[in-house]
């Protein structure tokens, strides 16, 4: 298959709402200081006694959870003003919509020169019920009596695709927008498709990123049923005793332009995308058993049409969720691609847990912050790393360090 050159894409805007971080500065403060943002779920979040859904190690009930810990967004207040829709049209929507709208607006405002008629949006979004969709289902199916002014806005039942459409309308974007769900790879898929639109000249600017604001009880019970949730309630990427992931919520968005246009427009360029690789594993041993061959293909494709090669990379922000099989498989895959080149590696999931659809976007934010501050933040809870790392040239960042090597990095997000 004939390859085509990947035209460099500039990241000229960025924004986030993440655990303990309502903006980019708070995010960097958390990550650079090595803050652990994982905590116990708030009492009111699940709307029932936690003891009713907690199970012990011997409990076989799949409708319960092993842990009540996660990475949570707190103290965020949505401002419905400043959009091209009436404030009252936005107020009854789930935080899923509010986070997506807020982050998109902030990212868009990062550039003084944006042709809205030639701007679109692609949003990675987990197609699980949101909290307000769950409430709407209760009111409808159980014929729950609710005061008129307390009824859930019925638009919340369209939690999969509607957020992208709301962004498009609320910001007055002239190009179509859509949402996609590629599980944990969603945000990088969204960015890749946004780059495609820019490179084909269909768009002059694109908003791309992802949100995860699924009903937290649904997530905890679901991941327990999948045998993926940490029974100890700890997020420990690359740790020998890691026993599963800790879910997290949040959103991160980017404003992208062709690098040539960003330079002409005088934009502040936070980073340049020089290649993206996508791959579907196909049939494997199971839903939670990653394919090393698939990961290798994705990474290799990122370099095939790029002017950067694996030996040019000094840092990789890994997917590393804190599952022994998944983390080891990722190292095997990286060995095949990066060979014996010395590379620093880390995982944001040690700070915030697994942001699922937004994981790749948050990892990219971390890389952009490392570019800006010339500093590589630490990975937490990795005092006893998995054996496969000990025989490799990958250096797990237990402590933060100045980034003196060439500022070229890779980000992985595997679904």
């Amino acid at each position: 298959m004939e390859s085509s050159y990947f035209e460099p894409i500039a990241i000229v805007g960025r924004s986030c709402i993440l655990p303990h971080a309502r903006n980019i500065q708070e995010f960097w403060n958390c990550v650079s200081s090595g803050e652990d943002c994982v905590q116990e779920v708030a009492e009111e979040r699940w709307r029932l006694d936690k003891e009713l859904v907690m199970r012990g190690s011997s409990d076989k009930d799949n409708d319960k959870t092993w842990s009540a810990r996660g990475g949570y967004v707190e103290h965020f207040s949505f401002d419905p003003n400043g959009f091209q829709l009436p404030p009252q049209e936005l107020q009854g929507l789930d935080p899923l919509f509010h986070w997506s709208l807020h982050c998109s607006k902030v990212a868009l405002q990062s550039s003084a020169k944006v042709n809205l008629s030639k701007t679109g949006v692609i949003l990675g979004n987990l197609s699980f019920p949101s909290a307000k969709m769950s409430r709407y289902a209760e009111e409808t199916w159980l014929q729950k009596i609710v005061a008129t002014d307390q009824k859930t806005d019925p638009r919340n039942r369209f939690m999969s695709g509607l957020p992208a459409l709301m962004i498009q309308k609320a910001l007055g974007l002239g190009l179509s927008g859509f949402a996609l769900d590629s599980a944990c790879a969603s945000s990088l898929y969204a960015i890749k498709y946004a780059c495609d639109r820019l490179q084909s000249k269909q768009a002059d600017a694109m908003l791309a990123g992802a949100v995860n604001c699924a009903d937290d009880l649904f997530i905890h019970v679901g991941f327990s049923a999948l045998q993926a949730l940490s029974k100890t309630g700890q997020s420990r990427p690359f740790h020998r005793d890691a026993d599963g992931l800790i879910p997290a919520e949040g959103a991160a968005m980017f404003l992208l332009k062709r690098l040539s246009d960003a330079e002409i427009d005088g934009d502040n360029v936070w980073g340049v995308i020089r290649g993206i690789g996508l791959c579907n594993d196909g049939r494997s041993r199971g839903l939670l058993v990653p394919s090393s061959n698939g990961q290798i293909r994705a990474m290799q494709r990122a370099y095939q049409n790029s002017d950067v090669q694996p030996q040019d990379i000094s840092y990789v922000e890994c997917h590393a969720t804190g599952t022994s099989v998944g983390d080891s498989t990722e190292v095997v895959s990286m060995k095949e691609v990066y060979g014996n080149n010395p590379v620093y590696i880390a995982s944001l999931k040690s700070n915030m847990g697994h942001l699922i659809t937004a994981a790749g976007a948050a990892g990219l934010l971390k890389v952009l912050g490392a570019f800006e501050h010339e500093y590589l933040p630490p990975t937490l809870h990795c005092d006893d790393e998995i054996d496969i790392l000990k025989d490799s040239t990958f250096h797990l960042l237990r402590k933060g360090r100045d980034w003196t090597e060439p500022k070229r990095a890779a980000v992985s997000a595997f679904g």
Side-chain angles (χ1 to χ4, degrees):
M1 181 176 65
E2 185 178 348
S3 63
S4 58
Y5 174 62
F6 187 99
E7 181 179 0
I9 300 298
I11 301 171
V12 299
R14 53 184 179 162
S15 62
C16 70
I17 298 171
L18 295 167
H20 294 200
R22 293 162 295 181
N23 54 55
I24 293 297
Q25 187 57 56
E26 289 183 358
F27 172 75
W28 180 252
N29 291 344
C30 282
V31 175
S32 61
S33 65
E35 181 178 347
D36 188 341
C37 303
V38 173
Q39 63 192 58
E40 194 82 3
V41 67
E43 288 292 335
E44 68 278 6
R45 175 66 75 95
W46 290 355
R47 297 187 299 124
L48 49 71
D49 187 341
K50 283 189 292 186
E51 297 307 313
L52 293 174
V53 288
M54 296 298 295
R55 62 175 173 176
S57 57
S58 60
D59 196 331
K60 303 300 182 182
D61 190 343
N62 284 338
D63 288 332
K64 293 186 177 181
T65 175
W66 288 315
S67 168
R69 289 172 56 78
Y72 298 105
V73 171
E74 298 178 311
H75 313 304
F76 172 76
S77 179
F78 175 66
D79 182 0
N81 299 297
F83 294 96
Q84 296 188 27
L85 289 173
Q88 61 269 24
E89 192 170 330
L90 303 176
Q91 288 172 332
L93 296 172
D94 189 89
L96 164 66
F97 292 86
H98 293 167
W99 299 351
S100 304
L101 287 164
H102 172 83
C103 286
S104 297
K105 182 172 74 169
V106 171
L108 187 66
Q109 292 173 340
S110 301
S111 174
K113 190 173 182 180
V114 178
N115 181 358
L116 292 180
S117 68
K118 292 281 285 181
T119 301
V121 59
I122 302 177
L123 178 71
N125 180 20
L126 188 66
S127 293
F128 279 25
S130 65
K132 286 204 171 184
M133 181 192 173
S134 294
R135 290 197 182 199
Y136 180 75
E138 289 176 14
E139 294 168 14
T140 303
W141 295 342
L142 304 179
Q143 298 183 337
K144 192 173 181 179
I145 304 300
V146 181
T148 301
D149 61 347
Q150 297 295 315
K151 286 185 177 180
T152 304
D153 189 322
R155 291 175 298 168
N156 286 297
R157 69 190 188 275
F158 302 116
M159 80 296 167
S160 291
L162 187 57
L165 181 61
M166 293 298 290
I167 293 170
Q168 180 192 357
K169 289 185 174 181
L171 297 178
L173 306 183
L175 299 182
S176 62
F178 67 88
L180 62 86
D181 183 354
S182 183
C184 313
S186 295
S187 50
L188 298 194
Y189 263 82
I191 291 169
K192 171 60 166 66
Y193 293 149
C195 290
D196 288 346
R197 283 195 178 182
L198 291 167
Q199 291 163 340
S200 67
K201 307 299 190 288
Q202 296 177 50
D204 288 341
M206 288 293 298
L207 286 166
V211 60
N212 174 40
C213 189
D215 188 317
D216 188 61
L217 179 57
F218 194 105
I219 290 290
H220 273 77
V221 172
F223 276 119
S224 293
L226 280 172
Q227 307 288 311
L229 195 76
S230 167
K231 293 182 179 181
T232 59
Q234 301 178 74
S235 183
R236 295 181 289 176
F238 295 123
H239 195 286
R240 179 197 296 270
D241 298 323
D243 63 343
L245 61 84
I246 293 294
E249 61 186 18
M253 293 295 290
F254 304 95
L255 179 64
L256 309 178
K257 289 184 178 181
R258 292 178 288 271
L259 177 60
S260 55
D261 290 345
E263 292 172 337
I264 292 172
D265 294 344
D267 286 313
N268 191 349
V269 177
W270 299 105
V272 179
I273 301 170
R274 297 191 177 273
I276 305 178
L278 306 180
C279 181
N280 191 306
D281 283 354
R283 188 181 298 276
S284 67
R285 288 183 292 153
L287 181 64
L288 299 179
V289 182
S291 164
S292 180
N293 289 334
Q295 294 178 357
I296 291 167
R297 286 195 299 273
M299 288 187 277
Q300 288 176 338
R301 287 172 181 173
Y303 295 105
Q304 281 174 356
N305 305 327
S306 169
D307 57 1
V308 175
Q309 297 304 312
Q311 60 267 26
D312 300 323
I313 301 297
S314 59
Y315 172 64
V316 177
E317 175 63 25
C318 299
H319 181 63
T321 63
T323 62
S324 57
V325 173
D327 293 358
S328 297
T329 300
E330 187 170 0
V331 175
V332 169
S333 304
M334 288 194 297
K335 279 186 174 183
E336 183 68 25
V337 175
Y338 295 99
N340 293 321
N341 298 318
V343 180
Y344 290 101
I345 64 172
S347 174
L348 177 65
K349 295 174 184 69
S350 72
N351 302 89
M352 295 187 171
H354 192 350
L355 288 151
I356 311 175
T357 37
L364 178 55
L365 282 180
K366 180 181 172 184
V367 168
L368 298 180
F371 284 161
E372 180 184 4
H373 298 278
E374 299 186 340
Y375 180 77
L376 294 172
T379 291
L380 311 182
H381 317 306
C382 58
D383 50 293
D384 189 8
E385 64 186 36
I386 54 179
D387 289 337
I388 193 171
L389 277 177
K390 296 174 182 177
D391 299 321
S392 74
T393 54
F394 301 122
H395 305 295
L396 185 56
L397 288 160
R398 293 191 183 89
K399 296 181 180 179
R401 68 181 299 277
D402 292 334
W403 195 356
T404 56
E405 294 77 13
K407 308 301 183 294
R408 302 187 190 99
V411 180
S412 292
F414 302 126

